[in-house]
């Protein structure tokens, strides 16, 4: 049965797809110099996508820790690329530029989307898994209308902070690419770009929010059952958006690229 099968009345019917979500983990307990190569991971995603999209295997999940790398989605503009000219891998996902590297849990769900399930619903469920994971660590997070990913609300002084980026591509009704959750990364690499093309918000991590962080293995183990549940595409209750608050203007840390304003102003959301 293929993705275009219909019943006797001509109605689209659900494709017979293997149940479950298989998981692979790569380099979660490794150190820089022995982490997962981005190109190798991208090639592996495409191999899995072909098998998942043809219903040969069940949905797959890769949970990895990459060597330091910048990747640029299709919407990235020249001024958002690394200020120091560092190389970038241009990829076929949506969104803009981001960084992957040590201390970040990157997840690649390779998931077949049955008819009637769109990429937006998939993204919202991936976000929901991260929101529920962070809630388990005592971090209140949510969505920002009009922006993808998972966010921490402004405290009225500092800006909103992105803790998890999401960028996906859908091919043959099957997803690839995925999410990048900041567990305990260094932030120098984020300061060399405009992350996700957003200049009025900051980035954060579990360690920044809590003062400590679990291991990537522990986070991966906690993440898997949440994704497995939500990617069954059964009804669920979506977490609320974060509250929007006025805060002092935020400027990218690279002051020589984005000049600061002499007198702080208030941004009202």
């Amino acid at each position: 049965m293929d993705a275009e099968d219909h019943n006797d009345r001509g109605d689209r019917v659900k494709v017979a797809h293997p149940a479950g979500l298989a998981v692979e983990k790569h380099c979660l307990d490794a150190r820089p110099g022995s982490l997962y190569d981005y190109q190798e991971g991208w090639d592996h995603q495409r191999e899995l996508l072909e098998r998942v999209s043809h219903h040969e295997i069940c949905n797959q999940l890769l949970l990895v820790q990459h060597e330091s790398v910048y990747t640029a989605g299709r919407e990235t503009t020249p001024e958002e690329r690394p200020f120091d000219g560092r190389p970038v891998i241009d990829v076929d996902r949506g969104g803009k530029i981001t960084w992957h590297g040590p201390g970040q849990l990157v997840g690649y769900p390779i998931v077949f989307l049955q008819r009637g399930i769109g990429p937006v619903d998939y993204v919202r469920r991936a976000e929901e898994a991260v929101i529920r994971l962070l809630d388990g660590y005592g971090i209140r997070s949510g969505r920002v209308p009009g922006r993808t990913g998972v966010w921490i609300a402004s405290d009225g002084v500092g800006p909103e902070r992105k803790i998890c980026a999401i960028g996906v591509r859908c091919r043959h009704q099957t997803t690839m690419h995925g999410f990048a959750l900041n567990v305990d990364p260094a932030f120098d690499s984020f300061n060399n770009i405009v992350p996700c093309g957003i200049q009025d918000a900051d980035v954060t991590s579990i360690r920044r929010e809590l003062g400590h962080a679990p291991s990537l293995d522990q986070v991966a183990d906690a993440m898997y059952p949440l994704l497995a549940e939500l990617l069954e595409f059964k009804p669920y209750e979506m977490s609320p958006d974060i509250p929007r608050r006025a805060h002092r203007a935020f400027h990218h840390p690279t002051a020589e690229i984005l000049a600061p304003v002499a007198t702080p102003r208030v941004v009202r959301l």
Side-chain angles (χ1 to χ4, degrees), residues 13 37-38 75 84 139 151 181 184 195 197 218 224 255:
V13 296
D37 178 73
Y38 186 84
E75 300 167 27
D84 63 2
I139 299 173
W151 296 78
L181 173 62
D184 188 15
Q218 290 172 323
Y224 171 75

Side-chain angles (χ1 to χ4, degrees), residues 145-157:
R147 291 178 171 176
T148 59
V150 178
W151 296 78
I152 311 295
S154 168
D155 59 5
V157 179

Side-chain angles (χ1 to χ4, degrees), residues 152-161 200 242-250 264-269:
I152 311 295
S154 168
D155 59 5
V157 179
E160 294 165 348
R161 308 177 298 289
D200 61 348
I242 64 170
R244 313 299 300 277
R245 295 189 180 95
H247 60 83
R248 291 183 181 274
F250 174 75
R265 60 186 176 86
V266 171
V267 176
R268 300 199 177 275
L269 302 172

